[in-house]
Amino acid sequence: MFDFQPMELVVLGTVAILVIPPKDLPKAMRVAGYWVGRMRGVAQQFRSGFDTMVREAELHEMEKKWAAENERIMREHPPTPALDAPQTDALDAPPVMPALPDSERHYSEDGPPIYVEHPTVVAAEAPAPVNLDKAAS
């Protein structure tokens, strides 16, 4: 936004030394630096706001293009009714339970058979403890 060439800065410095007394020069430089920083901050904020607006406009345009493309694809390839509608015949039928082999059936004396997925459980022996002091030496 504010583009200063080195020669322009030298001219401004020379004019500042001639116009401003040496006693007030540090204060004047501090004030000038403060205002230059404020102008840069405002310019940066303006630039970032403008960039955000441009990004949002581009995103809106892309969403329009995607919606148009989606509409075109849906026109070319309409959904089939067989895939969209639920199968009522399959839902009305009772579930079919496969019979388990005799090895997996367990009978109780007073009730129906109990089906267990893994009837036999074998406990493994715990490994022997390792003495880390002897293993390290």
Side-chain angles (χ1 to χ4, degrees):
M1 186 169 173
F2 296 103
D3 188 27
F4 291 114
Q5 300 296 325
M7 192 60 188
E8 292 173 349
L9 290 176
V10 169
V11 170
L12 283 174
T14 306
V15 169
I17 289 174
L18 294 175
V19 174
I20 301 173
K23 177 178 87 172
D24 295 332
L25 194 58
K27 183 179 178 184
M29 296 300 283
R30 236 185 341 266
V31 170
Y34 171 78
W35 284 108
V36 168
R38 292 279 307 253
M39 285 190 290
R40 283 185 179 176
V42 169
Q44 178 63 32
Q45 188 176 11
F46 176 76
R47 189 178 311 127
S48 67
F50 185 75
D51 290 344
T52 301
M53 289 189 323
V54 168
R55 265 188 258 118
E56 287 175 359
E58 288 175 353
L59 181 63
H60 187 66
E61 289 296 319
M62 288 174 64
E63 287 175 350
K64 283 183 180 179
K65 288 179 184 179
W66 291 340
E69 183 67 16
N70 188 26
E71 187 177 316
R72 182 191 65 80
I73 290 172
M74 293 304 287
R75 262 195 324 265
E76 290 177 5
H77 307 285
T80 57
L83 295 177
D84 293 340
Q87 299 288 336
T88 56
D89 296 337
L91 295 177
D92 294 337
V96 177
M97 299 296 292
L100 292 175
D102 286 336
S103 63
E104 295 185 11
R105 289 186 190 165
H106 296 277
Y107 295 95
S108 65
E109 293 180 17
D110 57 344
I114 301 170
Y115 296 101
V116 179
E117 196 168 317
H118 300 287
T120 309
V121 177
V122 178
E125 291 183 23
V130 177
N131 190 348
L132 296 177
D133 294 332
K134 290 183 180 179
S137 35

PDB file of all heavy atoms in Angstrom, residues 121-135:
ATOM      1  N   VAL A 121     -13.932 -74.444  28.015  1.00  0.00           N
ATOM      2  CA  VAL A 121     -12.962 -73.405  28.321  1.00  0.00           C
ATOM      3  C   VAL A 121     -11.802 -74.067  29.033  1.00  0.00           C
ATOM      4  O   VAL A 121     -11.974 -74.750  30.030  1.00  0.00           O
ATOM      5  CB  VAL A 121     -13.590 -72.319  29.223  1.00  0.00           C
ATOM      6  CG1 VAL A 121     -12.542 -71.290  29.591  1.00  0.00           C
ATOM      7  CG2 VAL A 121     -14.767 -71.679  28.535  1.00  0.00           C
ATOM      8  N   VAL A 122     -10.619 -73.881  28.491  1.00  0.00           N
ATOM      9  CA  VAL A 122      -9.429 -74.481  29.070  1.00  0.00           C
ATOM     10  C   VAL A 122      -8.580 -73.353  29.644  1.00  0.00           C
ATOM     11  O   VAL A 122      -8.261 -72.388  28.953  1.00  0.00           O
ATOM     12  CB  VAL A 122      -8.629 -75.259  28.006  1.00  0.00           C
ATOM     13  CG1 VAL A 122      -7.359 -75.832  28.608  1.00  0.00           C
ATOM     14  CG2 VAL A 122      -9.488 -76.334  27.391  1.00  0.00           C
ATOM     15  N   ALA A 123      -8.221 -73.484  30.919  1.00  0.00           N
ATOM     16  CA  ALA A 123      -7.394 -72.455  31.556  1.00  0.00           C
ATOM     17  C   ALA A 123      -5.932 -72.738  31.235  1.00  0.00           C
ATOM     18  O   ALA A 123      -5.458 -73.861  31.345  1.00  0.00           O
ATOM     19  CB  ALA A 123      -7.614 -72.463  33.059  1.00  0.00           C
ATOM     20  N   ALA A 124      -5.236 -71.713  30.837  1.00  0.00           N
ATOM     21  CA  ALA A 124      -3.812 -71.853  30.529  1.00  0.00           C
ATOM     22  C   ALA A 124      -3.017 -71.619  31.801  1.00  0.00           C
ATOM     23  O   ALA A 124      -3.415 -70.873  32.689  1.00  0.00           O
ATOM     24  CB  ALA A 124      -3.406 -70.854  29.465  1.00  0.00           C
ATOM     25  N   GLU A 125      -1.877 -72.277  31.880  1.00  0.00           N
ATOM     26  CA  GLU A 125      -1.015 -72.085  33.038  1.00  0.00           C
ATOM     27  C   GLU A 125      -0.303 -70.748  32.927  1.00  0.00           C
ATOM     28  O   GLU A 125       0.081 -70.315  31.848  1.00  0.00           O
ATOM     29  CB  GLU A 125       0.020 -73.202  33.107  1.00  0.00           C
ATOM     30  CG  GLU A 125      -0.562 -74.561  33.435  1.00  0.00           C
ATOM     31  CD  GLU A 125       0.513 -75.609  33.566  1.00  0.00           C
ATOM     32  OE1 GLU A 125       1.674 -75.237  33.832  1.00  0.00           O
ATOM     33  OE2 GLU A 125       0.192 -76.779  33.393  1.00  0.00           O
ATOM     34  N   ALA A 126      -0.120 -70.109  34.060  1.00  0.00           N
ATOM     35  CA  ALA A 126       0.563 -68.824  34.083  1.00  0.00           C
ATOM     36  C   ALA A 126       2.057 -69.049  33.874  1.00  0.00           C
ATOM     37  O   ALA A 126       2.626 -70.026  34.368  1.00  0.00           O
ATOM     38  CB  ALA A 126       0.327 -68.129  35.418  1.00  0.00           C
ATOM     39  N   PRO A 127       2.732 -68.174  33.144  1.00  0.00           N
ATOM     40  CA  PRO A 127       4.167 -68.338  32.943  1.00  0.00           C
ATOM     41  C   PRO A 127       4.918 -68.104  34.252  1.00  0.00           C
ATOM     42  O   PRO A 127       4.457 -67.410  35.156  1.00  0.00           O
ATOM     43  CB  PRO A 127       4.514 -67.262  31.912  1.00  0.00           C
ATOM     44  CG  PRO A 127       3.421 -66.272  32.005  1.00  0.00           C
ATOM     45  CD  PRO A 127       2.202 -67.019  32.443  1.00  0.00           C
ATOM     46  N   ALA A 128       6.066 -68.737  34.337  1.00  0.00           N
ATOM     47  CA  ALA A 128       6.892 -68.617  35.533  1.00  0.00           C
ATOM     48  C   ALA A 128       7.414 -67.185  35.651  1.00  0.00           C
ATOM     49  O   ALA A 128       7.746 -66.552  34.642  1.00  0.00           O
ATOM     50  CB  ALA A 128       8.046 -69.594  35.474  1.00  0.00           C
ATOM     51  N   PRO A 129       7.502 -66.612  36.853  1.00  0.00           N
ATOM     52  CA  PRO A 129       8.021 -65.253  36.996  1.00  0.00           C
ATOM     53  C   PRO A 129       9.495 -65.185  36.634  1.00  0.00           C
ATOM     54  O   PRO A 129      10.246 -66.129  36.850  1.00  0.00           O
ATOM     55  CB  PRO A 129       7.780 -64.929  38.470  1.00  0.00           C
ATOM     56  CG  PRO A 129       7.602 -66.246  39.140  1.00  0.00           C
ATOM     57  CD  PRO A 129       7.082 -67.199  38.130  1.00  0.00           C
ATOM     58  N   VAL A 130       9.875 -64.068  36.079  1.00  0.00           N
ATOM     59  CA  VAL A 130      11.251 -63.857  35.639  1.00  0.00           C
ATOM     60  C   VAL A 130      11.916 -62.889  36.597  1.00  0.00           C
ATOM     61  O   VAL A 130      11.385 -61.832  36.902  1.00  0.00           O
ATOM     62  CB  VAL A 130      11.280 -63.272  34.208  1.00  0.00           C
ATOM     63  CG1 VAL A 130      12.711 -62.994  33.782  1.00  0.00           C
ATOM     64  CG2 VAL A 130      10.606 -64.221  33.247  1.00  0.00           C
ATOM     65  N   ASN A 131      13.104 -63.256  37.080  1.00  0.00           N
ATOM     66  CA  ASN A 131      13.853 -62.387  37.957  1.00  0.00           C
ATOM     67  C   ASN A 131      14.712 -61.475  37.077  1.00  0.00           C
ATOM     68  O   ASN A 131      15.637 -61.916  36.409  1.00  0.00           O
ATOM     69  CB  ASN A 131      14.724 -63.212  38.916  1.00  0.00           C
ATOM     70  CG  ASN A 131      15.336 -62.344  40.007  1.00  0.00           C
ATOM     71  OD1 ASN A 131      15.292 -61.126  39.934  1.00  0.00           O
ATOM     72  ND2 ASN A 131      15.915 -62.990  40.993  1.00  0.00           N
ATOM     73  N   LEU A 132      14.370 -60.193  37.061  1.00  0.00           N
ATOM     74  CA  LEU A 132      15.064 -59.263  36.184  1.00  0.00           C
ATOM     75  C   LEU A 132      16.489 -58.978  36.650  1.00  0.00           C
ATOM     76  O   LEU A 132      17.337 -58.600  35.858  1.00  0.00           O
ATOM     77  CB  LEU A 132      14.269 -57.965  36.086  1.00  0.00           C
ATOM     78  CG  LEU A 132      12.896 -58.107  35.432  1.00  0.00           C
ATOM     79  CD1 LEU A 132      12.187 -56.772  35.452  1.00  0.00           C
ATOM     80  CD2 LEU A 132      13.033 -58.603  34.007  1.00  0.00           C
ATOM     81  N   ASP A 133      16.744 -59.110  37.943  1.00  0.00           N
ATOM     82  CA  ASP A 133      18.108 -58.862  38.436  1.00  0.00           C
ATOM     83  C   ASP A 133      19.096 -59.888  37.895  1.00  0.00           C
ATOM     84  O   ASP A 133      20.203 -59.553  37.498  1.00  0.00           O
ATOM     85  CB  ASP A 133      18.125 -58.897  39.971  1.00  0.00           C
ATOM     86  CG  ASP A 133      17.328 -57.765  40.568  1.00  0.00           C
ATOM     87  OD1 ASP A 133      17.229 -56.709  39.886  1.00  0.00           O
ATOM     88  OD2 ASP A 133      16.796 -57.911  41.674  1.00  0.00           O
ATOM     89  N   LYS A 134      18.692 -61.160  37.844  1.00  0.00           N
ATOM     90  CA  LYS A 134      19.578 -62.200  37.325  1.00  0.00           C
ATOM     91  C   LYS A 134      19.676 -62.129  35.808  1.00  0.00           C
ATOM     92  O   LYS A 134      20.709 -62.438  35.235  1.00  0.00           O
ATOM     93  CB  LYS A 134      19.066 -63.570  37.737  1.00  0.00           C
ATOM     94  CG  LYS A 134      19.219 -63.828  39.223  1.00  0.00           C
ATOM     95  CD  LYS A 134      18.765 -65.209  39.558  1.00  0.00           C
ATOM     96  CE  LYS A 134      18.920 -65.474  41.068  1.00  0.00           C
ATOM     97  NZ  LYS A 134      18.464 -66.808  41.408  1.00  0.00           N
ATOM     98  N   ALA A 135      18.590 -61.714  35.118  1.00  0.00           N
ATOM     99  CA  ALA A 135      18.603 -61.667  33.662  1.00  0.00           C
ATOM    100  C   ALA A 135      19.497 -60.529  33.177  1.00  0.00           C
ATOM    101  O   ALA A 135      20.089 -60.613  32.107  1.00  0.00           O
ATOM    102  CB  ALA A 135      17.186 -61.474  33.144  1.00  0.00           C
TER     103      ALA A 135
END
